[in-house]
Amino acid sequence: MVSYKELGLVNTKDMFAKAIKGGYAIPAYNFNNMEQMQAIIQACVETKSPVILQVSKGARQYANGILLRNMAKGAVEYAHELGCDIPIVLHLDHGPNFEVAKDCIDNGFSSVMIDGSALPYDENVALTKKVCDYAHEHDVTVEGELGVLGGVEDDVAAEESKYTKPEEVQDFVSKTGVDSLAISIGTSHGRCKFTPAQCTRTADGILVPPPLAFDVLEGVEKMIPGFPIVLHGSSSVPVEYVKMIEQFGGKIPDSVGIPEEQLRKAAKSAVCKINIDSDGRLAMTAMIRKVFAEHPDEFDPRKYLGPARDELKKMYARKNIEVLGSAGHALD
Ligand code: G3H
Ligand code: 13P
Ligand code: ZN
């Protein structure tokens, strides 16, 4: 058993309480490799933001649990060396079952998500409670989910989203003991968050998505006032990266994300954790394609992963300042 406390990590409890009070959201950035980790920590230290490092089931398979844990431990020391002891959470993203959640709790994670959103309600309650009971014995916090997002959640593909039902949330929270709740209000995973048919188009052909269901968010907040809410699928799919990828040979048609001003609005409410993965993938891919196109003779991975990491850092720093509002809150 390795406790996250030995690694210098924290759980989400204080972080979320401060975020709700302060009207901002904590960035939850996914990582699988060293360059992503460097970019996240550099950006969050520079902007003095607390941060949640997220690891999906796929990331654990890709990168190895022991390496990931030691990278998170290294992240704590790296932040210190860079000059700011920002609070860092190591979080399991979309935990698929009790066994994976337990394995993470036993191996240095300070927070886990158990994603029972595809299960019938009573089964979601039972599974989430089982994870909460075990996690809380170890002072690990738990995120549950109610409602179904469109797009792809690891192995779970949902054809269309089903908004969270506000009338269910109070019962779910009290029966499970969960510490935060992911809800569905129209966000979805990946780079195509809506079909072109669901969007309108600007004169220059850019897709404009329908607005998020803020009425559902308000309904949820009324039922569980002050309870920490999480938004998944919150990449904004920046047009400049989509264009750059296509300019340098990529093909990613119909890309459309969540407009940043809507995320900013959500961050001012009880939404205190916003998940961003796809935007990081787009930023890195855009820069790597650019380097390859402009320097076809380059074959040193540091020469393309380095610029990709720097672009990623720039993007995360901007998000912390302009979207999440978490900048400056590391030492609250
Ligand atoms: O919600 C899904 C995250 O973006 C993780 O994606 O399962 O491909 O690592 P992944
Ligand atoms: P995006 O695909 O919008 O980045 O969402 C990431 C996410 O929700 C991870 O859990
Ligand atoms: Zn997600």
Side-chain angles (χ1 to χ4, degrees):
M1 175 96 196
V2 176
S3 164
Y4 68 88
K5 293 176 188 173
E6 294 160 29
L7 309 180
L9 301 164
V10 297
N11 69 21
T12 57
K13 220 172 208 79
D14 282 359
M15 221 183 235
F16 285 171
K18 288 173 186 165
I20 293 182
K21 216 164 143 226
Y24 60 93
I26 311 291
Y29 297 132
N30 290 70
F31 81 103
N32 319 267
N33 65 39
M34 184 188 74
E35 283 76 12
Q36 291 169 325
M37 170 67 91
Q38 289 173 317
I40 295 169
I41 298 302
Q42 288 169 9
C44 292
V45 165
E46 185 178 289
T47 59
K48 298 202 167 18
S49 170
V51 69
I52 297 173
L53 300 170
Q54 292 204 136
V55 172
S56 68
K57 186 180 105 192
R60 287 180 89 225
Q61 282 158 355
Y62 176 79
N64 179 283
I66 295 170
L67 290 180
L68 287 170
R69 177 176 75 222
N70 282 288
M71 281 170 76
K73 180 176 179 233
V76 173
E77 291 177 38
Y78 183 43
H80 182 77
E81 185 188 82
L82 291 177
C84 186
D85 290 316
I86 56 171
I88 301 176
V89 168
L90 179 62
H91 175 77
L92 170 66
D93 190 24
H94 294 286
N97 53 42
F98 176 77
E99 289 69 30
V100 171
K102 179 179 182 302
D103 192 44
C104 288
I105 294 163
D106 292 348
N107 284 288
F109 281 61
S110 58
S111 173
V112 293
M113 176 187 191
I114 181 70
D115 185 353
S117 61
L119 298 173
Y121 180 80
D122 289 340
E123 289 176 38
N124 188 1
V125 168
L127 174 62
T128 306
K129 179 175 174 1
K130 187 174 174 188
V131 172
C132 287
D133 289 348
Y134 185 74
H136 292 163
E137 283 173 25
H138 301 279
D139 214 9
V140 168
T141 39
V142 181
E143 174 185 324
E145 180 168 340
L146 264 184
V148 179
L149 273 68
V152 177
E153 298 201 358
D154 252 344
D155 302 336
V156 186
E159 286 290 300
E160 52 184 286
S161 67
K162 290 193 193 93
Y163 292 160
T164 303
K165 295 179 189 145
E167 62 276 19
E168 283 182 351
V169 298
Q170 199 176 27
D171 184 67
F172 186 82
V173 164
S174 67
K175 279 188 179 150
T176 58
V178 81
D179 301 280
S180 62
L181 183 66
I183 63 167
S184 171
I185 59 166
T187 62
S188 78
H189 293 101
R191 68 169 176 85
C192 300
K193 302 203 179 294
F194 303 93
T195 63
Q198 291 173 302
C199 302
T200 53
R201 266 185 207 271
T202 62
D204 46 356
I206 293 170
L207 291 169
V208 180
L212 296 179
F214 279 98
D215 54 331
V216 174
L217 174 58
E218 279 161 27
V220 167
E221 286 188 274
K222 270 199 196 111
M223 302 305 283
I224 43 174
F227 191 81
I229 302 300
V230 177
L231 284 191
H232 282 248
S234 296
S235 279
S236 55
V237 188
V239 174
E240 62 269 29
Y241 292 138
V242 173
K243 283 191 173 156
M244 212 164 134
I245 288 172
E246 301 215 311
Q247 179 191 349
F248 294 113
K251 281 195 181 56
I252 47 169
D254 302 334
S255 298
V256 61
I258 310 296
E260 289 189 336
E261 60 279 9
Q262 291 190 38
L263 296 168
R264 183 73 203 101
K265 180 175 165 187
K268 288 182 178 159
S269 71
V271 169
C272 60
K273 171 174 179 272
I274 291 189
N275 288 12
I276 296 172
D277 186 2
S278 297
D279 282 356
R281 299 178 184 197
L282 291 166
M284 287 193 92
T285 302
M287 196 45 82
I288 289 170
R289 279 194 176 278
K290 182 172 190 291
V291 174
F292 280 161
E294 292 176 351
H295 305 278
D297 58 334
E298 194 50 75
F299 72 103
D300 178 345
R302 293 170 297 186
K303 297 286 167 48
Y304 50 89
L305 293 177
R309 176 189 61 199
D310 296 347
E311 189 60 38
L312 197 55
K313 180 214 152 180
K314 206 172 80 189
M315 184 192 77
Y316 287 146
R318 191 188 59 74
K319 289 216 184 249
N320 291 351
I321 297 165
E322 294 176 14
V323 185
L324 289 296
S326 61
H329 290 290
L331 306 173
D332 279 1

